[in-house]
C-alpha cells in the first residue's frame, strides 16, 4: 500500500505521519486490495479537516471529516473508511 500524505496549512510532523501510517495499517487488515491512499490534512481557522481517497480493486473509496482536534479527525476518518472497506469487501464477495 502506497500512502501519500499532504498537509494544507499544517506541517506534517513525524508523530502525525506515524499516527496516520499506523491507522491505515489497521485498515489494511480487512483487505489487501488497497493499492494507493491519498490523505490530505487541512487546517481552516479552528477546524481540522482530514480526507482520504483509497484506490481499491474495483473502485475508489472517499471519506472526509472535520473536528477541532486533528487526531480526532483522523480517528473519525479511519472509522468511516473502515465501514466503507468492509462494505466494499462484502460487495466483491457477493459477485
Amino acid at each position: 500500500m502506497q500512502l501519500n500524505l499532504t498537509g494544507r496549512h499544517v506541517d506534517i510532523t513525524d508523530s502525525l505521519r506515524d499516527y496516520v501510517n499506523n491507522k491505515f495499517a489497521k485498515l489494511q487488515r480487512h483487505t489487501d486490495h488497497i493499492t494507493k491512499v491519498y490523505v490530505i490534512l487541512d487546517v481552516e481557522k479552528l477546524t481540522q479537516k482530514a480526507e482520504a481517497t483509497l484506490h481499491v480493486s474495483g473502485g475508489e473509496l472517499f471519506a472526509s471529516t472535520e473536528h477541532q482536534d486533528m487526531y480526532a479527525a483522523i480517528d473519525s476518518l479511519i472509522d468511516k473508511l473502515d465501514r466503507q472497506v468492509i462494505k466494499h469487501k462484502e460487495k466483491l464477495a457477493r459477485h
Side-chain angles (χ1 to χ4, degrees):
M1 173 177 76
Q2 179 184 354
L3 187 110
N4 295 338
L5 185 58
T6 305
R8 290 187 192 148
H9 310 290
V10 64
D11 290 328
I12 305 297
T13 61
D14 289 339
S15 62
L16 199 56
R17 183 177 303 278
D18 291 342
Y19 191 77
V20 170
N21 284 331
N22 291 336
K23 290 293 182 176
F24 277 94
K26 291 179 183 177
L27 261 188
Q28 201 168 12
R29 287 184 306 183
H30 291 296
T31 181
D32 56 349
H33 297 294
I34 301 172
T35 55
K36 291 182 184 174
V37 178
Y38 296 101
V39 181
I40 299 172
L41 304 178
D42 191 6
V43 176
E44 293 178 359
K45 294 187 181 180
L46 299 176
T47 305
Q48 316 284 323
K49 289 175 61 176
E51 57 185 52
T53 304
L54 269 65
H55 293 271
V56 294
S57 60
E60 284 186 1
L61 305 175
F62 176 81
S64 177
T65 60
E66 293 183 3
H67 201 274
Q68 293 173 348
D69 177 43
M70 183 60 79
Y71 291 97
I74 293 168
D75 288 342
S76 178
L77 177 72
I78 294 297
D79 290 343
K80 286 183 177 185
L81 288 171
D82 193 38
R83 288 191 297 269
Q84 288 184 26
V85 165
I86 292 170
K87 191 181 228 182
H88 181 75
K89 185 178 174 183
E90 289 172 352
K91 189 166 73 169
L92 286 179
R94 279 187 258 144
H95 293 291

